[in-house]
Amino acid sequence: MSNTPVKWTSAGLTPAGNALQAELLNTGDGITFTRAAAADADGTERLALTLQSPRTAEGPKCRVPVLLSNIGVTEAFTMTELRFYVKRVADGTPTGDEVLYATATDETGDAIPTASSAPGFTIDWAFVFQFGNASDVTVTLDPAGLVSWGQVGEPNGVAPLDENGKVPSDNLSALGGSLLTITFDEALEGLPYTLSGGEESYAGTVPESLTAVHSLLAVDTDYTLTVTNAAAEKTYTRTVHTDDWYTALEVAIAPFAATITVTCPAGSSVTCANGDTTLTQTAASGTAVFTVGNAGTWTVTATLDGESASGEVVISADGESKSITLQYVHIYGVLWDGTSTTALSRTDDAAGFSDPVPAVSGGSGNSPFDTLLPWSGMVRSTDPQAGELVAIPKYWYKWTKSGSTIKLQIADGPAEGFLVSPAHCDRGDGHGERDVVYVGRYHCHTSNWKSQTGGKPKADITRSSARSSIHNLGSTIWQWDWAMDWTIKMLYLVEYADWNSQTKIGYGCGNNSSTENMGQTDGMTYHTGTKQSSRTTYGVGVQYRHIEGLWDNVYDWVDGCYYNSNGLNIILNPSNFSDSSGGTSIGTPSNGYPSALGVKTALNGMWIIPTAASGSDSTYVPDNWNFSASYPCLYLGGYCNQSQNRGLFCVYCNAASDSGSDVGSRLMKLP
């Protein structure tokens, strides 16, 4: 009596068999099949099978006939696994320990009756073993049935292992593919699973042993393993990447599935790692979605063209979905050596940059920073309440003081030791960090306090009246403050690498007589420069990144700061702006032309104040800084009078009750 065997849906080399085959491919030794056995669902070997002849070889394949007979079977069982054992053959002689070389499993199995209930029961079939690709490997059999194989046209065996103990990559095509060992969680036993990648697809059921072996997979290929729990309406998915052909990749699948979505530059290679588990994808379109199999902290890393960015995502529950955005952080720096020169040297990613060329006579210009954030994001916008504005994207910065040298770095993303720029940081006003803030393109207009072209700047105002009048324009509109001013100054300093803004961009100031209409830069085709015929010609019409008149036409009151006996006090929350109270001191600045600077840490930021004042209008920091505890209110820049000490870093002070025709104001918007 004979029976038709089941279809064995999961067959392949064991890890031990795979390791043996890897060795033999490099030694020229062969194998001999020593025995085969049938096992039940408990993994117990219940019956020895007969290895028959003749065994045949064709190309890379060897056909091994097998016969099952129930002679001697006294207890019926279901055969769910076939096992094939081999020994190494060296110089024609079997040697060494017997190795479980390959298995074939099927959850349904085949019922094997007792000899008394079904005399003469047999199953007769053959198994085919493939040792490589048809174009590269040929199998040979000797009269005794010993199996050996090698590359076509060469002796048995391939090239020796390389210095890393692996098969050389140029021989991979001869080896037949990669081997994948999958280790499942016990809760998934009996569930159906699929494995797909490239042009291949496999289907099976999680075995009782919780281990499945798939061989002859494509090398250097992504495979997706999916386990389906229909009853729970859940699918568990993992992605693995095959390496060298004999590297067994262990993948633990747990009854847990959460999603991590990664947004990053398109084309990045993205990894998601937790403990011993590392998942890898390529974000071809700028997004990679990982299904992760356990709770915990997952470290996500994206790399592209030698750049990398990392972050962490905490997964705490099954079914959770979280996202993370990664960008490659670039750091641009300048270093001042503390000597009398006004020039700074470029560092970090800005090292080797050429100097920007601002416009003259309103013409063209260029800067290596024009395509780089945050500078490239400084664009004009129109606001119905505030008028014409200039956007400033969030950035990160760091001041470092070492002896007499001081270094400023700006990063386009979060970086260790860096702080969010002062205007964008958490100001304690309930809005947290801001991704973008806005500053008035023009001084406040004389007729309506807006940032508006045409007409003269609003002047003859106290700082407090400017504060309230500007805020009347809207709930997010305020008089610009010390934090906004230094956010702009730091952008200028890294871009132009010189304390002297007047010589680098334009003298500015004015006609040496009175204020003039705003909008003098409206006809300029480039965002930075002067409309005058030369940089050394005084006159209105100077702008930096679309911001007109930072040191021309009128000074601008600046809020969020005041002087008193404790020094310079800073206020970040615009609702608390004051001329005399509520601030935090960052120290007492030196009075005059700064010749040395100190870094003070307070209020979410690093702040710069002069610590010595022995400079001039052409050395060190060539803009005057006037300090007096009797004059708490500060104003900045230059006005119509022509002077070399009234550039971007000029600071003056006055009494809270004072006003003048040379002092106006500028607004900001904090959305």
Side-chain angles (χ1 to χ4, degrees):
M1 177 180 179
S2 63
N3 188 33
T4 301
V6 299
K7 180 180 179 181
W8 302 97
T9 57
S10 180
L13 297 184
T14 66
N18 181 70
L20 175 62
Q21 183 161 311
E23 295 177 13
L24 301 182
L25 281 166
N26 289 277
T27 64
D29 293 342
I31 60 172
T32 183
F33 287 90
T34 55
R35 64 185 177 94
D40 60 20
D42 294 329
T44 303
E45 291 188 7
R46 300 290 299 273
L47 186 63
L49 310 182
T50 302
L51 297 173
Q52 302 187 93
S53 296
R55 299 170 195 173
T56 59
E58 180 179 352
K61 299 178 181 179
C62 175
R63 184 176 183 274
V64 180
V66 178
L67 175 67
L68 178 149
S69 171
N70 70 339
I71 295 175
V73 175
T74 59
E75 181 180 354
F77 70 96
T78 298
M79 175 180 62
T80 60
E81 183 179 26
L82 296 175
R83 299 175 179 176
F84 295 86
Y85 292 84
V86 303
K87 277 191 174 183
R88 179 201 298 263
V89 175
D91 297 325
T93 303
T95 183
D97 296 330
E98 190 176 62
V99 172
L100 176 57
Y101 182 69
T103 62
T105 60
D106 190 277
E107 183 184 33
T108 303
D110 205 340
I112 308 299
T114 62
S116 59
S117 65
F121 178 92
T122 60
I123 300 177
D124 187 1
W125 74 107
F127 279 83
V128 177
F129 295 82
Q130 181 165 326
F131 298 89
N133 296 327
S135 62
D136 298 299
V137 172
T138 182
V139 170
T140 58
L141 294 167
D142 72 2
L146 304 182
V147 182
S148 58
W149 59 91
Q151 288 184 270
V152 174
E154 294 185 9
N156 290 344
V158 295
L161 299 179
D162 63 20
E163 65 274 12
N164 298 314
K166 295 187 177 183
V167 177
S169 59
D170 56 359
N171 286 319
L172 287 177
S173 62
L175 306 182
S178 188
L179 178 98
L180 175 64
T181 299
I182 307 169
T183 303
F184 298 91
D185 186 274
E186 61 183 357
L188 301 183
E189 181 185 346
L191 294 179
Y193 76 89
T194 60
L195 179 70
S196 59
E199 299 179 354
E200 300 166 293
S201 181
Y202 305 88
T205 302
V206 178
E208 183 182 16
S209 64
L210 303 178
T211 300
V213 179
H214 290 270
S215 60
L216 300 179
L217 302 181
V219 176
D220 192 23
T221 300
D222 286 330
Y223 281 84
T224 299
L225 176 66
T226 302
V227 183
T228 303
N229 187 340
E233 298 183 345
K234 289 188 176 181
T235 299
Y236 314 115
T237 302
R238 288 285 301 278
T239 300
V240 294
H241 188 81
T242 56
D243 194 1
D244 290 352
W245 81 280
Y246 58 87
T247 300
L249 299 175
E250 297 185 3
V251 182
I253 300 293
F256 181 104
T259 301
I260 298 176
T261 301
V262 184
T263 302
C264 59
S268 297
S269 174
V270 187
T271 62
C272 190
N274 172 267
D276 294 332
T277 301
T278 300
L279 312 178
T280 302
Q281 288 189 41
T282 298
S285 60
T287 301
V289 180
F290 294 92
T291 299
V292 299
N294 58 275
T297 299
W298 290 81
T299 300
V300 183
T301 302
T303 58
L304 179 67
D305 297 333
E307 297 185 296
S308 66
S310 297
E312 292 184 343
V313 175
V314 177
I315 296 296
S316 57
D318 185 18
E320 193 171 19
S321 180
K322 289 195 173 181
S323 300
I324 185 173
T325 298
L326 299 177
Q327 65 182 49
Y328 302 123
V329 176
H330 300 92
I331 297 174
Y332 310 99
V334 287
L335 177 71
W336 184 44
D337 62 10
T339 65
S340 61
T341 178
T342 65
L344 294 83
S345 57
R346 301 189 184 278
T347 67
D348 302 281
D349 289 338
F353 278 13
S354 60
D355 287 337
V357 180
V360 174
S361 298
S364 61
N366 63 80
S367 169
F369 293 84
D370 280 344
T371 59
L372 307 177
L373 285 172
W375 295 269
S376 62
M378 295 179 70
V379 296
R380 295 177 59 176
S381 68
T382 301
D383 182 89
Q385 295 175 301
E388 295 297 311
L389 305 176
V390 176
I392 304 178
K394 179 165 67 174
Y395 67 83
W396 290 254
Y397 76 106
K398 180 181 180 181
W399 286 97
T400 305
K401 174 78 170 176
S402 177
S404 60
T405 66
I406 191 166
K407 182 178 184 180
L408 170 62
Q409 296 166 290
I410 284 178
D412 59 8
E416 185 176 356
F418 283 64
L419 301 176
V420 175
S421 54
H424 302 84
C425 75
D426 186 346
R427 291 169 169 263
D429 57 359
H431 290 273
E433 295 179 5
R434 291 173 167 87
D435 291 331
V436 63
V437 295
Y438 299 87
V439 67
R441 166 165 159 75
Y442 308 102
H443 305 287
C444 290
H445 196 277
T446 185
S447 66
N448 57 15
W449 293 96
K450 289 186 177 183
S451 171
Q452 180 176 305
T453 188
K456 293 187 176 183
K458 186 72 173 179
D460 285 321
I461 50 175
T462 63
R463 188 171 74 163
S464 60
S465 65
R467 178 185 306 135
S468 58
S469 296
I470 290 172
H471 190 48
N472 285 337
L473 294 173
S475 61
T476 61
I477 303 170
W478 309 88
Q479 183 167 220
W480 80 325
D481 66 346
W482 192 258
M484 177 66 75
D485 174 60
W486 270 96
T487 296
I488 297 167
K489 284 175 175 173
M490 289 190 292
L491 289 167
Y492 159 82
L493 195 59
V494 170
E495 182 173 9
Y496 279 86
D498 201 296
W499 293 109
N500 197 330
S501 62
Q502 289 183 280
T503 59
K504 298 302 289 186
I505 296 177
Y507 274 10
C509 296
N511 58 17
N512 220 22
S513 175
S514 61
T515 58
E516 300 173 65
N517 286 344
M518 296 178 292
Q520 301 288 333
T521 61
D522 289 354
M524 291 181 63
T525 58
Y526 190 62
H527 53 65
T528 300
T530 177
K531 79 162 193 176
Q532 303 301 324
S533 60
S534 72
R535 282 189 239 293
T536 57
T537 300
Y538 286 106
V540 294
V542 172
Q543 64 177 358
Y544 171 65
R545 294 272 164 189
H546 302 296
I547 308 171
E548 181 182 281
L550 284 170
W551 58 91
D552 74 23
N553 214 359
V554 290
Y555 296 113
D556 285 319
W557 285 119
V558 61
D559 224 327
C561 57
Y562 62 88
Y563 286 135
N564 66 9
S565 59
N566 294 322
L568 176 58
N569 299 272
I570 304 298
I571 303 169
L572 287 179
N573 187 340
S575 297
N576 298 331
F577 284 170
S578 169
D579 293 340
S580 59
S581 64
T584 298
S585 175
I586 62 170
T588 301
S590 297
N591 195 32
Y593 290 99
S595 56
L597 300 171
V599 180
K600 308 296 181 181
T601 301
L603 293 171
N604 302 332
M606 290 178 278
W607 308 91
I608 299 300
I609 62 171
T611 56
S614 59
S616 69
D617 64 7
S618 61
T619 60
Y620 299 100
V621 182
D623 293 328
N624 210 0
W625 187 314
N626 287 106
F627 161 71
S628 173
S630 301
Y631 296 95
C633 298
L634 281 64
Y635 54 89
L636 308 172
Y639 71 119
C640 64
N641 279 11
Q642 298 172 357
S643 174
Q644 285 290 290
N645 65 359
R646 290 181 173 88
L648 182 61
F649 297 92
C650 179
V651 181
Y652 281 88
C653 59
N654 215 330
S657 60
D658 282 353
S659 63
S661 61
D662 57 348
V663 182
S665 189
R666 191 179 296 268
L667 59 76
M668 66 179 180
K669 181 174 182 178
L670 302 179

